[in-house]
């Protein structure tokens, strides 16, 4: 079955860049997503990338995909205290009819 | 994007009782899903809610424990039956407008505590 792994915790200073990493095992992953979950809230879709892309930039967010190594990363530039949350990567692969497989989640703590 | 609401937002229930969670989407969508997020854990898919037919359950989840209805394209319910403390979780519904790739949006979740 699919396996999506993330590091559990990341702490950065306000204003620095954050890089959250994700590895996956299923080579047929077609779409990869990043979601944000703030305390007590649901999931907010941040961005996504197709598997035929290497990079996608959206304002402060940059997604890098290394398909050979099955490695996905999310870079947040100029990290703010409002970015403190849990970040989940998720993937859909061919033939699963939109079913998302989520990573274990990374808790980002932004300090002053 | 789709706006998804869930009711109730949270509940505290007694062991052995059942709770029905409602999910309403503000526009017609093709796919609706129910996920469970156990404390401190990631999300696990419970089932795909199919309009007008029985839901499709993932391994480890059964209809008797988690009956699901989807009477139309914008509404679904999940019932957590005969609850035990192990069912304490956040239950989230999500929707997407098509199969394959589509942005998948989530409701705010229902936080369930079973005593």
């Amino acid at each position: 079955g699919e396996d999506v792994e993330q590091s559990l915790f990341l702490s950065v200073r306000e204003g620095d860049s954050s890089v959250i990493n994700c590895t996956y095992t299923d080579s047929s992953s077609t779409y990869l997503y990043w979601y944000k979950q703030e305390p007590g809230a649901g999931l907010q879709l941040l961005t996504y990338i197709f598997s035929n892309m290497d990079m996608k930039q959206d304002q402060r967010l940059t997604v890098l995909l290394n398909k050979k190594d099955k490695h996905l990363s999310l870079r947040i530039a100029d990290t703010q205290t409002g970015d403190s949350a849990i970040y989940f990567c998720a993937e859909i692969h061919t033939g699963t009819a939109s079913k998302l497989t989520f990573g274990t989640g990374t808790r980002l703590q932004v300090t002053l | 994007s789709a706006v998804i609401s869930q009711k109730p937002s949270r509940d505290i229930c007694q062991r052995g009782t059942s709770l029905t969670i409602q999910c309403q989407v503000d526009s017609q969508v093709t796919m609706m899903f129910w996920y469970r997020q156990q404390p401190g854990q990631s999300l696990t898919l419970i089932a795909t809610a199919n309009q007008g037919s029985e839901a499709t359950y993932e391994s480890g989840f059964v209809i008797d424990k988690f009956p699901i209805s989807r009477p139309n394209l914008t509404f679904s319910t999940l019932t957590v039956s005969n609850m035990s403390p192990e069912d304490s979780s956040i239950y989230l519904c999500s929707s997407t407008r098509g199969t394959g790739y589509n942005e998948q949006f989530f409701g705010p979740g229902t936080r369930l505590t079973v005593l």
Side-chain angles (χ1 to χ4, degrees), chain A residues 31 33 35 37 39-45 48 50 86 88 92 96-105, chain B residues 31 33 35 37 41-43 45 48 58 90 92 96 98-109 111:
Chain A
Y31 307 103
Y33 305 80
Y35 283 87
Q37 186 178 38
L43 269 69
Q44 175 193 354
L45 176 62
Y48 60 90
F50 298 140
I86 300 176
F88 291 96
I92 285 177
T96 60
S98 300
K99 293 191 290 187
L100 286 167
T101 299
F102 280 87
T104 46
Chain B
M31 311 287 284
F33 304 91
Y35 289 82
Q37 185 179 24
Q41 303 292 314
S42 186
L43 283 79
L45 180 64
T48 303
E58 297 300 304
I90 300 173
L92 300 103
T96 182
T99 58
Y101 165 69
N102 264 282
E103 293 177 342
Q104 191 164 140
F105 299 97
F106 282 78
R111 186 178 294 269

Side-chain angles (χ1 to χ4, degrees), chain B residues 12 15-16 18 24 32 35 41 73 90 100 109:
Chain B
I12 300 173
R15 180 195 299 260
S18 298
Q24 179 74 55
M32 292 182 75
Y35 289 82
Q41 303 292 314
L73 288 173
I90 300 173

Side-chain angles (χ1 to χ4, degrees), chain B:
Chain B
S1 66
V3 176
I4 304 174
S5 59
Q6 285 185 233
K7 288 195 292 188
S9 59
R10 59 178 62 230
D11 207 341
I12 300 173
C13 300
Q14 296 297 319
R15 180 195 299 260
T17 63
S18 298
L19 176 72
T20 295
I21 303 167
Q22 298 179 6
C23 177
Q24 179 74 55
V25 188
D26 69 342
S27 57
Q28 291 191 348
V29 292
T30 305
M31 311 287 284
M32 292 182 75
F33 304 91
W34 287 97
Y35 289 82
R36 180 176 73 182
Q37 185 179 24
Q38 293 177 297
Q41 303 292 314
S42 186
L43 283 79
T44 301
L45 180 64
I46 298 172
T48 303
N50 299 309
Q51 193 247 334
S53 65
E54 195 171 283
T56 305
Y57 290 85
E58 297 300 304
S59 175
F61 297 97
V62 294
I63 188 171
D64 290 345
K65 177 67 176 176
F66 297 103
I68 288 171
S69 78
R70 189 176 171 195
N72 57 51
L73 288 173
T74 63
F75 185 78
S76 178
T77 66
L78 168 75
T79 299
V80 186
S81 302
N82 188 24
M83 288 183 283
S84 67
E86 292 71 35
D87 294 320
S88 297
S89 296
I90 300 173
Y91 293 86
L92 300 103
C93 74
S94 72
S95 72
T96 182
R97 286 202 174 90
T99 58
Y101 165 69
N102 264 282
E103 293 177 342
Q104 191 164 140
F105 299 97
F106 282 78
T110 296
R111 186 178 294 269
L112 171 62
T113 302
V114 184
L115 303 177

Side-chain angles (χ1 to χ4, degrees), chain A residues 25-105:
Chain A
T25 58
D26 192 338
S27 58
S28 66
S29 294
T30 50
Y31 307 103
L32 297 120
Y33 305 80
W34 284 103
Y35 283 87
K36 175 183 180 183
Q37 186 178 38
E38 296 183 74
L43 269 69
Q44 175 193 354
L45 176 62
L46 289 177
T47 189
Y48 60 90
I49 189 168
F50 298 140
S51 60
N52 62 356
M53 298 168 65
D54 298 323
M55 186 182 87
K56 181 178 180 182
Q57 186 151 5
D58 185 0
Q59 299 182 327
R60 290 192 299 124
L61 305 179
T62 303
V63 179
L64 294 177
L65 175 61
N66 182 329
K67 201 174 179 186
K68 174 175 167 289
D69 294 338
K70 300 190 185 72
H71 183 265
L72 180 74
S73 67
L74 174 69
R75 178 177 180 270
I76 305 172
D78 186 23
T79 311
Q80 303 297 306
T81 54
D83 295 323
S84 294
I86 300 176
Y87 291 80
F88 291 96
C89 64
E91 55 102 20
I92 285 177
H93 66 92
T94 307
T96 60
S98 300
K99 293 191 290 187
L100 286 167
T101 299
F102 280 87
T104 46

